[in-house]
Amino acid sequence: MKKILLVLFAVTSLAVQAQQTDSVKPKKQVWPSFLTNEQMPDGSMYLPAPPAFDSQEFVADLVRYHWGKSLRNTPRGKQAHDEAELNVAAMLKVFSTPMGVTLNKAELPELADLVTRVISDASTATRKAKRHFNRLRPFLYFGEGTLIPEEEDSHHTPSYPSSHSAAGWTVALVLTELCPERAEQILKAGYEYGQSRVIAGYHYQSDVDAARMAASACVARLHADAAFQRQMVKAKKELEKLFF
């Protein structure tokens, strides 16, 4: 009986997935970035496939999904709601406390430019893998609501890996390099930014974990880019003036 249920579960999931389009057209880039789509490492080539719906790994995703749901009506849930907005101003706000100083575009234009570009690059780092694996988001798979219902209609893009989580981890790695004395606090904030996507119901834990791999690959590739290196120097000087 258990095997039969697993088979039915898998068949149902495949039927739901079949309703999706076979490919997802990438959105036109409107943010400036350092790297082109062609320059960015292709996540579909190095990331593992997301857990199959009849696998033990998916059970782990299911456990974390319910963990996230249990936190939605708590202060941690409010944090997840607040961190759903993905733009430079929101990202600078997320990392202000761990950096120990208020980060804003007006006072730190070079840093803001750097963060704007790496957010865009982080999104690029997940795009090919999203199209390749075409995983259904958890709130669509389970037919349940999310922490942020007003965004559900606009989030029918593939789930794996999470572009939000990749952006948060990419920014965390870059800021850690700029401010190594605050590394633990910055990395903790970047980690929790990704967990917020699980709590909100928009991603599985494995989506978030894979996003951190994509972010790390993104940052490694960025370091080979001369424009990125120059902008890092500018942002570093800007922060040094603010701190000292």
Side-chain angles (χ1 to χ4, degrees):
M1 177 62 72
K2 184 177 181 181
K3 290 184 178 179
I4 294 175
L5 289 175
L6 284 175
V7 171
L8 289 173
F9 190 64
V11 170
T12 301
S13 68
L14 289 173
V16 174
Q17 285 181 300
Q19 295 176 5
Q20 291 185 289
T21 55
D22 291 332
S23 62
V24 179
K25 293 182 179 179
K27 294 181 180 179
K28 183 178 180 181
Q29 270 186 321
V30 294
W31 285 5
S33 59
F34 291 108
L35 303 175
T36 65
N37 290 336
E38 292 71 27
Q39 292 173 318
M40 185 67 67
D42 183 351
S44 69
M45 301 295 291
Y46 63 82
L47 289 174
F53 289 105
D54 60 346
S55 68
Q56 289 184 345
E57 289 79 8
F58 182 70
V59 174
D61 269 347
L62 183 60
V63 169
R64 294 299 283 173
Y65 174 75
H66 286 289
W67 163 82
K69 284 180 63 177
S70 73
L71 294 176
R72 291 181 190 175
N73 292 323
T74 69
R76 184 62 184 86
K78 182 181 184 306
Q79 177 185 339
H81 185 282
D82 294 344
E83 290 181 344
E85 189 174 2
L86 181 56
N87 57 52
V88 63
M91 193 67 77
L92 290 175
K93 182 178 179 180
V94 166
F95 287 98
S96 287
T97 297
M99 286 281 285
V101 64
T102 300
L103 306 177
N104 61 71
K105 189 174 181 179
E107 294 184 42
L108 298 165
E110 300 295 351
L111 178 66
D113 181 72
L114 174 67
V115 171
T116 298
R117 290 172 183 270
V118 300
I119 289 174
S120 181
D121 285 317
S123 177
T124 302
T126 66
R127 186 173 297 128
K128 291 179 182 178
K130 278 181 176 286
R131 294 174 63 192
H132 177 74
F133 295 113
N134 201 28
R135 189 186 200 188
L136 198 66
R137 289 180 183 264
F139 77 92
L140 293 172
Y141 179 79
F142 293 112
E144 298 181 344
T146 68
L147 180 64
I148 313 160
E150 63 270 21
E151 294 188 3
E152 290 171 11
D153 289 342
S154 62
H155 282 73
H156 285 210
T157 53
S159 188
Y160 180 95
S162 165
S163 55
H164 272 73
S165 304
W169 195 242
T170 297
V171 173
L173 293 176
V174 169
L175 291 180
T176 294
E177 189 168 343
L178 292 174
C179 192
E181 61 274 15
R182 304 283 296 183
E184 292 86 358
Q185 296 93 325
I186 294 168
L187 292 170
K188 176 65 174 175
Y191 174 84
E192 292 298 341
Y193 188 85
Q195 295 308 109
S196 287
R197 301 307 290 165
V198 179
I199 295 169
Y202 280 89
H203 285 285
Y204 295 104
Q205 183 66 54
S206 56
D207 299 339
V208 174
D209 295 341
R212 296 186 184 115
M213 293 174 62
S216 298
C218 174
V219 173
R221 178 59 183 84
L222 282 169
H223 276 284
D225 183 76
F228 171 77
Q229 293 173 5
R230 290 193 296 269
Q231 195 60 34
M232 285 287 283
V233 171
K234 293 178 182 178
K236 181 73 171 179
K237 290 180 178 178
E238 203 172 54
L239 284 171
E240 286 174 348
K241 290 180 181 179
L242 187 64
F243 281 112
F244 304 107

